[in-house]
Amino acid sequence: MNNIEPSSLSVSLQKNLRHMQEEVHATSDLKIRSFTMKDDVVREAAILYLDEITDTKNVQEHLLAPLLRIERIESIETIVLGHLSVIDVSIETTFDAIRNGLSKGKTLVLIDGFNQGILADSSDWQKRALAEPDSQRTSRGSMIGFTEQLKINLNLLRNMVQISSFNVETIRVGSESQTDVAIVYLEKFVDQKVLDETRKKIKDIDVTYLLEARVIEDAIEEKKTLFPLVFTCERPDVTVSALFEGRVVIFVNGTPYALIVPTLFLHYFHQPDEYNLKSGRFIVRALRFFCWFLSIGLLGLYVTMVRFHPHWLRHPFDEKLLTQSDTLMPILIEVLFLSFLFDLLAEVSLRVPKLSIILVSLIGAIVVGQTAVEAKLIHSLTLIVVGLNYLTSLNITAGGLWGAMRTLRYLLLFLGYFFGLTGMLVGMFVVTMYMASLRSLGVPYLAPFIPFRWDEMKDALIRGDLRKLINSKHTYPHKDNK
C-alpha cells in the first residue's frame, strides 16, 4: 500500500476534494460549491473557499456566473483568459500553493478531468478605520496613522510619494504561516548598503510563523542591545521623510506601525511638531535633550545629594528637607517604592477598561501617594522628584526608547547611592562609550556626533531651515568607511 501523500492535483475531482479536506483538517469554514459545466460531456466542477475571509458576492458574480455560461472547455488557460473577470488569478497544480492561496482569502476552482486549479482573489478582510496615531500625535499636520493592513499602509505612502522610484519588495516570512513583509525604499535616495543588509537579514529569518514585528527587529539588531536600533513609527508623514533621507522602511502585515532603519540615537528626539510649527525651532529639541538627562539621572542625582551633598541646598532648606527628615524608610527605598508605584500605574492603565483609568489614577496618585507622605513613609520632596522624573521620561517615549531609559535610570540610581557623583559620572562615560560602539546596519549609532560630521549637523541640535533640509541629500557613515 502506498502511503505517500500526493503533492499535485490529479485529474479526478473527487480525489482532489478529499485531499483538500484533509489538507485543511476538515475545518468547518471550508465551503464547497459543486456545479456542472457544459462540454462534449457534462463535467463536474467545484468552487472551494474559506467562509469568513471570502467575499461570496464577488465569487458569485465573477467566478460562478461566468463558469456556468461556458459552452465548451478547451483548456484551463482559455477559461482564465476568456471568461473570468477577476484581476488577480493564477493557475496552480500543487497542493501547497493552493493551501496558501486559500488561507489568504482566494477561491479555488477545480474541474473534473483537469489536473490544474484556478486560484482567484476574492478576499474580504476586516479593516480598521484610519485613526490618529496614539503615541506620536501632533497639534498640526497629518492626523492619520498606520493600520494593521499592509495594503492600506502602502496605499497611504503611495498617496504621499507619487514618484516612479518608490519601490516595494515583498518577502514572505514563516515556514508554516507565511506573513508578508514589505521592504519600502526610494531607489533614487536609498542607502544601498543599508538596503542590501536589510534584505539579507529578513530573508535569513527562519521561524514557523510571524505575528509581531519584534522578530524583524531582533533579526536586524542581531545581538541583544540596551538601546533600540530600529525606530518604530506610526505616522505616514514621518515615514515618508525617512524615505527621502535614504532610509529603509519595513512593514509587517498585521502590525500598525513601520520599522525604519538605519536608526540613530538622534532620531528619537525629532518630533513632527518641529517641522509643522514655526515656534520651537531652537528650544523644543534642546528641551527634549534636557528631559533625556533628567529622565536617566535625576533620581541618582537626588539620592547622591541626600547621602553625600546635603549642603547643595541653601540653609534652611537643607535642614528642613534633608538632614532633619523624619521619614521611616531610607531614601533609596523611598525612591524605589515611588518608581514602582508609577510603573505600576502605567502598566495597569493599559490593562483596565478606559473608563476605569481615572479611578486607577486617583487611587494611585492621591490615595497611595498622599497617604504615604502623611504617614511619613516617604518624603514629600521625594514624591516631587520621582514625579518630575516620570514626566520627563514620558516626553521622549515615542519610537522605542522607553526600555533603555528605564534601565539607565535604575543603573545611575544605584551608582549615585553607593558611589556618589563620581560613580554617576563614570557610569555616564561607560554608557556613552557603549553607545558609540553600537551600529544600526553598519551605521554608527551616535552619528553625526561620533564620528563627527559637520555636514549632517544641520538637523541635529536644532531644526535647520526646511528648504535647505529638503534639498540636501543625507548620507550615512558605515563602519567600513575610512
Side-chain angles (χ1 to χ4, degrees):
M1 182 176 179
N2 187 6
N3 293 324
I4 299 177
E5 294 289 337
S7 60
S8 302
L9 293 172
S10 72
V11 295
S12 172
L13 175 64
Q14 296 304 319
K15 287 184 178 180
N16 292 332
L17 292 179
R18 284 196 300 269
H19 188 76
M20 282 305 307
Q21 289 179 320
E22 294 174 358
E23 283 279 322
V24 297
H25 305 288
T27 178
S28 61
D29 57 352
L30 177 66
K31 304 300 180 182
I32 302 177
R33 168 64 161 89
S34 299
F35 61 100
T36 58
M37 299 181 65
K38 296 178 182 179
D39 198 5
D40 294 334
V41 294
V42 176
R43 291 183 182 273
E44 297 292 327
I47 288 179
L48 295 83
Y49 60 91
L50 296 178
D51 192 23
E52 287 85 354
I53 59 175
T54 303
D55 184 353
T56 55
K57 183 179 180 181
N58 185 22
V59 173
Q60 180 176 334
E61 293 180 356
H62 300 287
L63 286 177
L64 182 58
L67 290 172
L68 291 174
R69 290 194 294 265
I70 295 178
E71 297 290 340
R72 178 177 174 79
I73 303 175
E74 296 180 3
S75 65
I76 296 296
E77 288 81 2
T78 58
I79 294 177
V80 172
L81 296 176
H83 299 279
L84 301 184
S85 57
V86 181
I87 298 296
D88 185 2
V89 60
S90 62
I91 299 174
E92 304 292 346
T93 59
T94 64
F95 284 109
D96 286 341
I98 290 172
R99 184 179 65 250
N100 291 333
L102 289 175
S103 66
K104 294 182 180 297
K106 295 187 177 183
T107 296
L108 173 66
V109 179
L110 296 175
I111 303 174
D112 190 41
F114 294 91
N115 62 352
Q116 296 172 306
I118 301 172
L119 269 181
D121 185 27
S122 56
S123 58
D124 183 25
W125 301 102
Q126 297 299 315
K127 301 175 182 178
R128 176 172 63 89
L130 295 176
E132 184 179 1
D134 185 40
S135 63
Q136 295 175 321
R137 291 175 293 178
T138 179
S139 58
R140 185 177 175 182
S142 175
M143 298 296 177
I144 298 177
F146 291 124
T147 73
E148 290 78 7
Q149 293 293 320
L150 176 60
K151 291 183 178 180
I152 294 179
N153 295 336
L154 295 178
N155 179 279
L156 290 173
L157 293 188
R158 284 192 178 276
N159 180 55
M160 301 178 71
V161 187
Q162 299 179 6
I163 59 177
S164 59
S165 62
F166 184 93
N167 283 0
V168 179
E169 296 182 15
T170 302
I171 302 174
R172 292 181 177 178
V173 178
S175 58
E176 292 294 331
S177 176
Q178 295 187 337
T179 302
D180 288 334
V181 177
I183 302 176
V184 184
Y185 58 94
L186 300 183
E187 185 70 42
K188 187 177 179 180
F189 296 89
V190 70
D191 187 302
Q192 193 61 46
K193 291 183 179 180
V194 172
L195 176 61
D196 294 341
E197 192 70 13
T198 302
R199 187 187 294 125
K200 177 180 181 300
K201 289 182 181 297
I202 294 179
K203 288 183 177 180
D204 289 342
I205 296 176
D206 183 14
V207 292
T208 305
Y209 61 90
L210 177 64
L211 296 179
E212 179 53 49
R214 181 67 243 179
V215 177
I216 305 295
E217 295 180 53
D218 288 340
I220 292 175
E221 292 175 353
E222 287 188 338
K223 59 182 180 180
K224 296 296 182 180
T225 61
L226 177 60
F227 291 87
L229 302 182
V230 179
F231 188 86
T232 58
C233 182
E234 299 177 343
R235 300 182 59 88
D237 54 347
V238 175
T239 304
V240 169
S241 177
L243 290 173
F244 278 105
E245 291 173 2
R247 299 158 74 190
V248 177
V249 175
I250 306 166
F251 287 103
V252 178
N253 191 31
T255 302
Y257 55 85
L259 306 178
I260 302 177
V261 290
T263 295
L264 309 181
F265 180 67
L266 187 65
H267 290 151
Y268 293 97
F269 299 89
H270 296 182
Q271 295 299 329
D273 275 338
E274 300 175 46
Y275 303 92
N276 294 323
L277 300 176
K278 181 179 181 179
S279 61
R281 174 180 175 184
F282 300 100
I283 302 300
V284 174
R285 193 171 297 179
L287 176 63
R288 207 167 285 124
F289 278 106
F290 182 65
C291 287
W292 161 256
F293 288 107
L294 286 182
S295 65
I296 65 174
L298 181 60
L299 297 185
L301 194 63
Y302 175 62
V303 298
T304 297
M305 181 181 66
V306 173
R307 288 204 69 196
F308 303 104
H309 307 284
H311 59 276
W312 284 357
L313 289 179
R314 295 182 61 183
H315 183 78
F317 295 103
D318 57 344
E319 295 182 357
K320 180 67 176 177
L321 298 178
L322 302 178
T323 59
Q324 295 181 1
S325 174
D326 56 353
T327 54
L328 301 178
M329 294 190 299
I331 183 62
L332 182 62
I333 304 301
E334 288 185 26
V335 172
L336 291 176
F337 169 74
L338 285 175
S339 298
F340 168 77
L341 177 61
F342 279 102
D343 288 337
L344 183 61
L345 286 174
E347 183 70 18
V348 171
S349 65
L350 296 176
R351 306 289 177 254
V352 300
K354 290 185 177 180
L355 296 177
S356 304
I357 292 179
I358 297 179
L359 178 61
V360 171
S361 301
L362 289 175
I363 293 175
I366 298 178
V367 178
V368 179
Q370 183 174 344
T371 303
V373 171
E374 293 177 353
K376 298 187 181 302
L377 294 177
I378 58 176
H379 200 286
S380 57
L381 181 59
T382 305
L383 180 60
I384 294 174
V385 170
V386 176
L388 179 61
N389 172 261
Y390 202 81
L391 286 177
T392 56
S393 301
L394 294 177
N395 190 39
I396 44 178
T397 57
L401 200 58
W402 173 260
M405 187 190 309
R406 184 162 56 179
T407 302
L408 290 178
R409 177 196 306 162
Y410 291 116
L411 173 63
L412 295 178
L413 171 63
F414 285 104
L415 287 176
Y417 182 79
F418 290 106
F419 304 104
L421 188 60
T422 302
M424 291 186 62
L425 293 176
V426 172
M428 288 292 295
F429 176 78
V430 172
V431 170
T432 303
M433 293 299 99
Y434 171 73
M435 295 172 64
S437 68
L438 295 178
R439 299 287 186 274
S440 177
L441 293 178
V443 178
Y445 195 54
L446 288 185
F449 302 108
I450 304 176
F452 183 78
R453 306 184 74 207
W454 174 253
D455 57 332
E456 290 294 328
M457 293 296 293
K458 52 185 173 293
D459 194 30
L461 297 177
I462 62 172
R463 192 266 291 169
D465 183 84
L466 287 178
R467 290 170 296 180
K468 292 182 179 179
L469 291 178
I470 291 173
N471 293 329
S472 62
K473 180 178 178 58
H474 286 267
T475 58
Y476 300 98
H478 290 268
K479 60 184 179 182
D480 56 345
N481 289 354
K482 301 296 184 182

